[in-house]
Every structure is written in structure tokens, then in C-alpha cells.
Amino acid sequence: MTNSFTNDPKIGADTHDYDKDLATGSKANKNSKIHKRIDELLERKRLKELLDDTDDWSV
């Protein structure tokens, strides 16, 4: 049994070079910092929710 997609020349022509769409230089650095900050905020939110769910805190 053969795969009909491997012999189709249109599929090879339709492949897109996604690397050229990626940011480079200062834009890539800025995007990296933004994603890192978002990850930190999401982690802080997750930890806060864990602490808020605990009932064993006595004041």
C-alpha cells in the first residue's frame, strides 16, 4: 500500500518556512521577556489559589 501524499508535488510546494516568521533580535528578546513575565504571573496566581484553598491557617 502506497501513500498518495508522498508522490503529490503540490504538497512539497505548499510547505511554509515558518522560521522566517519568527521574531529576531530585539523583538525576540522583548517577546521572551514578556512570555517569562506571563509565566511568572500565572505561577503566582496558581500558588495564591493553592494557599487560599487551605483551611489549616490559624491567625
Side-chain angles (χ1 to χ4, degrees):
M1 186 154 103
T2 62
N3 187 351
S4 63
F5 293 116
T6 57
N7 297 328
D8 190 357
K10 292 186 291 183
I11 291 179
D14 288 340
T15 59
H16 185 72
D17 186 14
Y18 292 105
D19 289 338
K20 69 179 181 179
D21 294 335
L22 295 175
T24 57
S26 63
K27 179 132 179 135
N29 190 23
K30 181 180 177 183
N31 288 346
S32 177
K33 288 179 182 179
I34 290 170
H35 285 285
K36 183 177 179 181
R37 179 68 177 147
I38 290 171
D39 289 342
E40 289 171 356
L41 292 172
L42 288 172
E43 180 66 8
R44 177 183 272 178
K45 179 181 176 184
R46 184 186 72 83
L47 292 173
K48 184 179 183 312
E49 288 172 354
L50 286 174
L51 284 174
D52 288 345
D53 288 341
T54 58
D55 295 329
D56 58 346
W57 294 92
S58 61
V59 180

